[in-house]
Amino acid sequence: MGTKYQIKICGIKDLATLELCHELGVDYVGLNFSPRSPRKIDQTEAEELLSIRQKPNFPKVVFLFFENTTEEILQITNKFSPDLIQLIRGDQFVKEILWDSLTTEKKLLPAIRIQSPVVSDETLEPRSPLVILDSFQKGLGGGSGHSFPWEYITNVKRPYLLAGGITPENVQFALNSLNPTGIDVASGVETNGKKDPNKIKELVHNVRNL
């Protein structure tokens, strides 16, 4: 389905949500392995989720790691071969050599937590085709539901997914205010900590109808 903006739904834990994202033509689906996240899944759950991955036009699969060991990251990614690996810039557990090798392989989807105005795109991982710009919450790798001041990134020209506090209600305003490649949503499509199919449908509808 052609669309102006890309959509990433992150922190998926159940098959029904993953199937819905596929049906709706979402561009990226994120599975979270971070020990710090309430959306953490284990390898058995990942195996079950990815059992439907061979369906035609399946979204790109993104694995998110935060405060995982390098060994764990390599073991999980070698086993499942995700399309992209989302790491957070500033995660003290991530060795630079891993960051560099994933960048070279075009597998890295860097998440950059914005704390001040961005003056130059050169500070935003220029070697990666796409980055995520997210809010900073101490001790969290994202998915906090908090946004950052969008005026910090009004000068950004490079491709990025906007994350941090995006909901079905504010997504059109966000996309009209900035010019991202797309959006990355986790808590904004949840009710009581669980993915809400109606919110996912509403979000996708609102993005597609801009």
Side-chain angles (χ1 to χ4, degrees), residues 40-59:
K40 177 189 188 298
I41 61 168
D42 60 30
Q43 294 188 47
T44 307
E45 291 168 303
E47 200 152 2
E48 185 194 352
L49 290 169
L50 295 175
S51 65
I52 63 166
R53 188 182 182 181
Q54 72 289 350
K55 292 188 175 186
N57 302 314
F58 199 75

Side-chain angles (χ1 to χ4, degrees), residues 5-56:
Y5 297 106
Q6 296 181 350
I7 299 171
K8 175 172 174 274
I9 304 293
C10 198
I12 293 169
K13 295 180 70 172
D14 64 281
L15 210 47
T17 299
L18 193 58
E19 286 173 330
L20 176 63
C21 289
H22 176 224
E23 284 166 26
L24 293 172
V26 162
D27 302 275
Y28 304 91
V29 287
L31 306 186
N32 191 327
F33 292 88
S34 168
R36 299 294 291 264
S37 176
R39 301 175 189 87
K40 177 189 188 298
I41 61 168
D42 60 30
Q43 294 188 47
T44 307
E45 291 168 303
E47 200 152 2
E48 185 194 352
L49 290 169
L50 295 175
S51 65
I52 63 166
R53 188 182 182 181
Q54 72 289 350
K55 292 188 175 186

Side-chain angles (χ1 to χ4, degrees), residues 144-156:
S144 67
H146 293 87
S147 61
F148 61 91
W150 291 337
E151 60 268 22
Y152 283 179
I153 59 169
T154 47
N155 295 325
V156 174

Side-chain angles (χ1 to χ4, degrees), residues 8 16 42 47 60 88 93 101 117 140-141 143 149 168 176 191 197 206:
K8 175 172 174 274
D42 60 30
E47 200 152 2
K60 285 192 173 172
I88 285 113
F93 284 73
S101 68
L140 291 174
N176 285 325
T191 300
N206 290 348

